Amino acid sequence: MPSDPESLRDTALNIRSLRYLHEIELHGGVRAAADALSINASVISRQVGNLERLHGVALLERQGRRVTLTEIGRTLVEHFRESAQRDAEMLAQLEDYRGLRRGRIEIATGEGFVETLLASVLEAFSLQFPDIVVELRGAATSEIVAMVRNDEVDLGLCAGGISDPAIRARTFRAAPLCALVSPQHPLAGERRIRVEQLADHRLIFMPSRFGVQQYVDSLLRAERLNLTPAYRCDLFSSAQAIAAAGLGVAFMSTDAARQYLDAGKLVPIEIDHAIAREFGSQVIRRVGRRLSPAAEFLWTRLVKALQRRQG
């Protein structure tokens, strides 16, 4: 096998000759390929002949009045096409990296994730990609899944678990789903409660499109309870404020209510049920979507952050 640069250059495949072979197969002959390329047919014949002599193989054969490729000729054409595809993919990646100085990433996120998770991840991201605009769009779980599926956003971060063939999800155990009450609430002295104890209190629910409410509904179905809420609101902050005012029991993870808990305005109570303990969070992207390097970086950091929190 040749090892010196001169020998390698002499035996290297000539891209132009391979392209001419590709055009011959595509258009059904030397003359048709020449017409398509607006060059003289003798140019193509000469290049293909040089390739045949260099490697000692026949690349063309005549079948009646037609010139077709031999088996090795077709193999070389396939090699050319695969190489062209790889080159196109590499050029696309280079274009992505060239554009790192500008652009935007859109993330759909449920409430409670920005301060407790995204904030630390975004710090590293901003150092790596200081000129990329990050647009955060708050939504409920079902809405986040739809936005990711429809390519309205690059990534999604939400509560709950999904089963959608169009969605690639990494799911992690989150802080358990708990009941949240004001320090003056009758349940405030309890460390753990059973689901049926909730029937004696005014409850604060979210709309069913929220992942956290889907867990609450699952809890109630498992215990065969049909409870009517005193309040239903579509903002975690509203549910927290109502609970902090002593007007009802809200449901979410301690991560989502961190500010109210740290300020002593709410008290968390463990719900003694397997479903509450299995409360999860997930980061999602659409299957088959090629993310930009910046979005891929953020995906990787989000997955690692969720893994650390789980461990």
Side-chain angles (χ1 to χ4, degrees):
M1 178 173 293
S3 57
D4 61 282
E6 191 68 29
S7 297
L8 287 172
R9 187 162 56 250
D10 290 342
T11 57
L13 291 172
N14 185 290
I15 299 301
R16 181 183 297 177
S17 299
L18 294 183
R19 184 192 176 202
Y20 288 160
L21 278 178
H22 170 263
E23 295 294 331
I24 291 170
E25 184 186 53
L26 184 63
H27 297 285
V30 174
R31 186 168 298 279
D35 291 342
L37 296 172
S38 300
I39 61 176
N40 195 295
S42 63
V43 174
I44 293 181
S45 297
R46 184 166 58 252
Q47 287 289 334
V48 173
N50 289 339
L51 193 61
E52 289 178 322
R53 285 189 296 274
L54 179 61
H55 297 285
V57 294
L59 302 176
L60 300 177
E61 60 185 359
R62 186 169 293 280
Q63 294 183 353
R65 302 180 61 182
R66 285 175 50 84
V67 172
T68 62
L69 272 62
T70 62
E71 181 179 353
I72 188 61
R74 292 191 295 272
T75 301
L76 284 174
V77 167
E78 185 63 28
H79 168 77
F80 169 79
R81 289 173 178 161
E82 291 175 355
S83 297
Q85 178 63 32
R86 288 195 298 271
D87 287 347
E89 292 173 355
M90 180 54 67
L91 287 172
Q93 290 185 39
L94 290 172
E95 183 63 29
D96 285 340
Y97 280 100
R98 186 162 58 240
L100 288 181
R101 295 182 181 277
R102 58 189 181 279
R104 72 174 57 240
I105 292 177
E106 294 183 281
I107 306 170
T109 178
E111 282 190 84
F113 287 100
V114 175
E115 292 182 359
T116 60
L117 180 59
L118 275 180
S120 60
V121 173
L122 287 179
E123 182 178 0
F125 177 85
S126 297
L127 291 173
Q128 185 77 14
F129 305 100
D131 297 317
I132 296 288
V133 176
V134 178
E135 183 173 325
L136 301 177
R137 299 173 61 178
T141 296
S142 61
E143 297 165 337
I144 292 171
V145 172
M147 284 192 280
V148 170
R149 187 193 306 115
N150 298 330
D151 285 337
E152 297 174 37
V153 296
D154 299 285
L155 303 173
L157 188 59
C158 54
I162 61 168
S163 178
D164 188 323
I167 298 296
R168 176 184 173 189
R170 293 293 302 271
T171 304
F172 304 88
R173 185 74 57 83
L177 177 69
C178 63
L180 298 172
V181 298
S182 75
Q184 291 76 40
H185 193 277
L187 289 174
E190 301 286 341
R191 187 175 70 85
R192 181 186 296 113
I193 59 171
R194 300 183 309 277
V195 178
E196 57 266 28
Q197 289 178 259
L198 297 171
D200 299 327
H201 300 276
R202 294 169 66 82
L203 307 178
I204 307 165
F205 284 179
M206 310 295 290
S208 59
R209 67 180 187 275
F210 282 75
V212 66
Q213 187 60 43
Q214 292 167 16
Y215 273 87
V216 171
D217 292 341
S218 295
L219 279 169
L220 299 180
R221 283 195 301 270
E223 297 303 311
R224 299 182 179 180
L225 292 173
N226 184 19
L227 303 183
T228 301
Y231 305 92
R232 192 182 291 274
C233 49
D234 62 358
L235 289 174
F236 279 28
S237 56
S238 298
Q240 292 165 7
I242 294 170
L247 300 178
V249 181
F251 301 91
M252 63 192 71
S253 72
T254 52
D255 287 339
R258 180 53 54 198
Q259 283 190 337
Y260 272 80
L261 293 174
D262 288 347
K265 297 180 179 179
L266 286 175
V267 175
I269 306 171
E270 179 184 343
I271 300 174
D272 189 13
H273 200 283
I275 292 176
R277 290 189 290 271
E278 292 171 359
F279 186 64
S281 59
Q282 58 191 354
V283 55
I284 63 176
R285 62 194 286 183
R286 183 176 64 77
V287 170
R289 176 168 180 170
R290 187 169 65 88
L291 297 176
S292 68
E296 193 70 52
F297 176 91
L298 195 53
W299 164 270
T300 301
R301 287 304 181 103
L302 284 170
V303 169
K304 288 181 178 179
L306 286 166
Q307 287 174 332
R308 285 195 301 270
R309 291 167 65 83
Q310 180 170 264

